[in-house]
Amino acid sequence: MKNIIRPIGYFVVAAIAVLAMGCASTAKQESTGQYVDDAPLTTKVKAAIFNEPSLKSAEINVETFKGVVQLSGFVSSTAAQTKAVQIAKSVAGVQSVKDDMRLK
């Protein structure tokens, strides 16, 4: 009986380790906790940009990965582009901002 229980114990420990690693983040994938942290950050940045009158006509997309905000889409001027980046950087929790916006 001892010979059967020991391999089952090893299997259970290995299965738990594999499941735990499934919740961890990698360089290209967020963990569940990081996704939950990034979702409200994305919403805050979108709201801040939307509430800026000079950016009302801009088509700016916001994505967040591990606190890094990526702005993409189209703006009408370099001033609007600069303003959007400044606004995103001013939101609490933003680690850095990647500017992938293009001029119309």
Side-chain angles (χ1 to χ4, degrees), residues 63-85:
E63 293 184 31
T64 308
F65 182 72
K66 296 183 179 183
V68 178
V69 172
Q70 179 178 0
L71 302 177
S72 61
F74 298 95
V75 291
S76 57
S77 66
T78 55
Q81 187 175 8
T82 302
K83 185 68 171 178
V85 171

Side-chain angles (χ1 to χ4, degrees), residues 49 55 57-63 69-77 80-81 84-85 98-104:
I49 289 172
L55 298 175
S57 63
E59 301 165 9
I60 300 172
N61 302 310
V62 180
E63 293 184 31
V69 172
Q70 179 178 0
L71 302 177
S72 61
F74 298 95
V75 291
S76 57
S77 66
Q81 187 175 8
V85 171
K98 290 184 179 181
D99 179 5
D100 289 331
M101 294 178 286
R102 303 287 180 246
L103 293 176
K104 286 185 183 179

Side-chain angles (χ1 to χ4, degrees), residues 33-54:
Q34 288 169 328
Y35 176 77
V36 170
D37 292 344
D38 285 342
L41 191 55
T42 299
T43 302
K44 289 178 187 176
V45 172
K46 284 181 180 181
I49 289 172
F50 181 76
N51 289 329
E52 173 57 41
S54 65

Side-chain angles (χ1 to χ4, degrees), residues 12 28 44:
V12 170
K28 295 183 180 181
K44 289 178 187 176

Side-chain angles (χ1 to χ4, degrees), residues 1-13:
M1 189 71 169
K2 282 185 182 178
N3 293 339
I4 294 173
I5 294 174
R6 187 171 294 223
I8 292 173
Y10 291 140
F11 176 76
V12 170
V13 169

